[in-house]
Amino acid sequence: MRKFLFENVTNGGAIPGFHQLQEKYLGNVYLKEKEALRKRLAKKPVAVIFDETPDVEGRCVLNILIAPLEKDESGRILAYLADTVFLEQCNHSTVSVSVVKCLQEYDIANEDVIVFDTDNAAYMKKAYTALQSLFPNSLHVTCMAHIMNLIGDAFRRPFDQLNSFMLSFSQMFYHAGSRKRRYLQFMSGKHPTRQKATMAPNPCATRWNSWFKAVQYHSEHFKLYKEFIEMEIKVSGSSAPQSVERLHEMLQNEDMAQCLQVQLSIMADKCKHILQLLDIFQSRKPITTKVFDYFEDLQMNFTANKELQYESCAEHFEGLDVHHATKTHILNLVHLAYSNAEEKLTKYMSEGQPAINFLREVRVFDPRYISFMENSVSGYTHIPGFSAVPNDEFDAYFQRLGPAALKASACGVVDLDVFWDGLLERLPVLSALAKRYKDVIVNSADAERSNSLYKLVLSSRRRSITNSNLKALVFLYHNQRLTSGVFERDELEIDCGPDSEDEVEDSLDT
């Protein structure tokens, strides 16, 4: 620090003011890091991720990220923030032009762009239509984590009573520090052996899995809530907020309380599969060859649970005197939840996900799947460049090398990096394709993270920053946190308002 101050501060090493740092230091660091990123991306196949967000100044801001399709030492693929663009208008034309300019600025060859990752907005899909002709090797993948969240949103939508309870529970602690303290003391007294009592997760739209996490929390602690709410009614008296009064009314009604308890118990159990996939799809570790199987397994899970019978969920009713009509109502809600989720999933296993056929075919690069894949080159029309694979290479892989690797592997799991690196000489064309497409990014979660960081830098309380300094700060903040691994410890936050009229029905801000 002392060395830095003497080299960069003109008044003898005193701590500089922020103006001096911004004017003399920030720009130089930004340009230096930008040049380092340009060298890091040079002559490598890349994924391009971009997303738009509004800011406190009312502008449309487009964050463009570029990820070299190579794994780091922990097996992750890192997406670096390349540029922040302030758009006068946000449409497919301005977005596509901005992306092209960014790629040219970083000297990315057109043939090295392998995949464009965006959200589900109609103008983003249209932007790829404009980009497709310039980038012949590219694919368009709409974010799998975003799709999974929309499926989860459809799954939870029928539970109006449960949603009302959870909303009131969160509102009860809004701007109520003393109530939070009383709640934590109450929960600590009920669970003295636990390390520390925690607040319930807040089911908000900016955390993709928060609703299901909240359900699991409430399911575990629900039996204690009636006593706590009664205490709060006594403490607050006539000044009790509406949220506390609503909760008191719900929990004093025995039928409603039992209905809520059963719904929480069933949902906490049934949401585990959705939560697991949300975590998988948000990860930076590539899962490209597994995505289609995950969706097929989820579809089978929805089909199996859609006609849920009382006998298969009797454990959730144990110890409760629930009326037959209430049981039927709850089972009907569960049926509707699974039907909604299945309908949404079916949409994205067809035209809703533009890369669904690619995701089905890319499994060919994993020897575990070749026994039920097409056994001819002509069967793979959605993997760019696959038609150039010689038949003898494909036959050698399909009939001998793939099955042999699977047989020699431990537990039937093949290290695809080692496998395809070892076949570069014997199967040069097929190996090059496999290395290019087997690890493409299938989510735009890092773009959502960059949007959240942008709103930390430019907030309603900090609006005087210039555009150039804003771009530099967001660039450095995102990329330094990325390489330091901070994001791996942070829970994902997303900025997810509707981007167009076509996306309103899928909006999370319902």
Side-chain angles (χ1 to χ4, degrees):
M1 176 63 72
R2 186 187 304 257
K3 181 175 182 292
F4 162 78
L5 292 175
F6 274 112
E7 289 180 354
N8 294 278
V9 180
T10 58
N11 56 355
I15 296 175
F18 74 92
H19 288 295
Q20 188 172 1
L21 288 176
Q22 287 184 355
E23 293 171 5
K24 296 189 176 182
Y25 183 65
L26 178 61
N28 292 336
V29 174
Y30 172 58
L31 294 176
K32 181 180 177 180
E33 291 297 320
K34 194 171 182 179
E35 181 61 29
L37 179 58
R38 181 182 288 106
K39 293 178 180 178
R40 187 180 292 123
L41 299 173
K43 298 181 180 179
K44 294 177 182 176
V46 299
V48 182
I49 308 169
F50 49 94
D51 190 33
E52 173 269 338
T53 185
D55 68 5
V56 295
E57 300 291 345
R59 299 172 298 190
C60 293
V61 180
L62 182 72
N63 279 332
I64 304 171
L65 292 82
I66 303 176
L69 294 178
E70 58 182 17
K71 299 176 185 174
D72 66 2
E73 62 278 359
S74 62
R76 303 174 305 164
I77 293 180
L78 304 182
Y80 299 91
L81 180 62
D83 198 8
T84 298
V85 184
F86 304 95
L87 301 175
E88 293 294 330
Q89 294 180 327
C90 187
N91 53 50
H92 74 280
S93 177
T94 57
V95 168
S96 57
V97 168
S98 299
V99 170
V100 171
K101 286 182 177 178
C102 177
L103 292 172
Q104 291 175 343
E105 186 177 359
Y106 280 87
D107 299 325
I108 305 294
N110 288 18
E111 60 271 15
D112 285 336
V113 178
I114 305 304
V115 59
F116 289 100
D117 290 283
T118 70
D119 61 18
N120 234 14
Y123 75 94
M124 288 294 189
K125 294 180 178 180
K126 197 171 181 181
Y128 174 71
T129 303
L131 294 167
Q132 189 175 16
S133 59
L134 295 175
F135 304 95
N137 296 330
S138 68
L139 301 157
H140 182 213
V141 180
T142 55
C143 178
M144 299 301 299
H146 184 247
I147 288 173
M148 197 65 232
N149 183 67
L150 295 176
I151 293 170
D153 186 53
F155 184 72
R156 64 182 173 88
R157 192 173 295 136
F159 295 91
D160 294 333
Q161 192 178 68
L162 184 55
N163 284 320
S164 176
F165 166 79
M166 292 171 62
L167 178 62
S168 296
F169 196 92
S170 296
Q171 290 175 340
M172 174 174 62
F173 297 107
Y174 186 67
H175 287 170
S178 59
R179 185 171 294 116
K180 289 181 182 179
R181 289 192 294 273
R182 291 195 294 270
Y183 176 79
L184 292 174
Q185 291 173 357
F186 174 81
M187 297 303 289
S188 296
K190 294 298 181 180
H191 301 290
T193 58
R194 294 191 180 180
Q195 186 175 9
K196 186 179 180 181
T198 59
M199 298 298 298
N202 184 25
C204 61
T206 56
R207 295 187 189 274
W208 279 338
N209 54 10
S210 61
W211 191 89
F212 297 108
K213 293 286 188 183
V215 163
Q216 292 181 330
Y217 178 96
H218 291 310
S219 177
E220 181 182 357
H221 300 97
F222 185 81
K223 294 179 182 179
L224 303 175
Y225 290 163
K226 183 178 180 181
E227 181 181 351
F228 175 75
I229 295 300
E230 288 175 348
M231 290 171 51
E232 285 302 301
I233 289 291
K234 291 180 182 178
V235 170
S236 303
S238 59
S239 62
Q242 290 184 354
S243 55
V244 174
E245 291 179 349
R246 284 196 300 268
L247 289 171
H248 186 252
E249 182 181 346
M250 289 179 181
L251 297 176
Q252 289 299 316
N253 186 324
E254 187 174 351
D255 290 340
M256 183 178 293
Q258 289 185 342
C259 185
L260 285 170
Q261 184 175 344
V262 174
Q263 289 181 51
L264 283 168
S265 181
I266 292 177
M267 290 296 287
D269 179 44
K270 299 301 181 182
C271 75
K272 292 176 182 176
H273 199 166
I274 294 176
L275 266 177
Q276 181 185 20
L277 288 181
L278 274 169
D279 290 338
I280 289 173
F281 288 149
Q282 293 176 42
S283 171
R284 289 192 174 92
K285 293 187 176 180
I287 53 165
T288 316
T289 59
K290 303 174 185 177
V291 170
F292 192 80
D293 278 14
Y294 284 141
F295 262 25
E296 282 195 325
D297 291 344
L298 184 63
Q299 196 169 42
M300 288 188 287
N301 177 273
F302 287 167
T303 302
N305 283 280
K306 189 167 63 173
E307 303 300 334
L308 190 66
Q309 300 298 318
Y310 173 76
E311 291 75 17
S312 61
C313 62
E315 61 181 300
H316 303 294
F317 293 87
E318 287 182 4
L320 300 174
D321 185 20
V322 181
H323 297 305
H324 176 73
T326 303
K327 293 178 182 178
T328 303
H329 172 67
I330 292 173
L331 293 177
N332 287 339
L333 287 178
V334 174
H335 169 79
L336 183 58
Y338 276 108
S339 297
N340 289 348
E342 185 182 43
E343 181 181 354
K344 185 70 72 173
L345 175 60
T346 301
K347 170 185 174 182
Y348 290 109
M349 289 193 73
S350 53
E351 76 283 352
Q353 169 56 273
I356 193 66
N357 290 319
F358 165 80
L359 294 172
R360 182 189 292 110
E361 294 178 6
V362 77
R363 296 176 298 168
V364 72
F365 296 130
D366 190 332
R368 289 180 295 176
Y369 299 112
I370 59 177
S371 60
F372 53 86
M373 301 292 288
E374 290 285 340
N375 61 357
S376 66
V377 173
S378 60
Y380 301 90
T381 58
H382 295 90
I383 301 176
F386 206 93
S387 58
V389 175
N391 288 324
D392 59 337
E393 281 194 24
F394 184 81
D395 292 340
Y397 163 64
F398 215 85
Q399 297 173 13
R400 300 193 309 278
L401 300 173
L406 193 61
K407 186 176 180 180
S409 64
C411 304
V413 178
V414 178
D415 187 322
L416 299 185
D417 296 321
V418 174
F419 176 74
W420 288 110
D421 282 341
L423 292 177
L424 276 173
E425 291 186 6
R426 299 178 67 180
L427 309 177
V429 180
L430 187 60
S431 292
L433 272 181
K435 289 172 67 64
R436 181 178 286 258
Y437 290 107
K438 67 179 176 62
D439 291 332
V440 301
I441 296 175
V442 295
N443 69 69
S444 59
D446 274 317
E448 308 288 3
R449 292 181 176 107
S450 69
N451 288 343
S452 294
L453 287 180
Y454 177 92
K455 291 179 178 179
L456 289 176
V457 176
L458 183 71
S459 67
S460 58
R461 296 184 179 183
R462 186 187 185 190
R463 300 171 62 170
S464 61
I465 189 170
T466 64
N467 285 359
S468 58
N469 285 340
L470 178 58
K471 289 176 63 169
L473 285 170
V474 176
F475 177 94
L476 295 169
Y477 193 16
H478 177 95
N479 293 340
Q480 289 180 9
R481 285 167 62 91
L482 182 72
T483 53
S484 68
V486 172
F487 276 136
E488 297 303 310
R489 300 190 296 271
D490 289 348
E491 184 178 1
L492 172 67
E493 284 200 19
I494 50 173
D495 170 66
C496 51
D499 290 306
S500 69
E501 292 182 1
D502 294 327
E503 202 192 6
V504 168
E505 66 162 329
D506 285 342
S507 170
L508 307 186
D509 289 336
T510 306

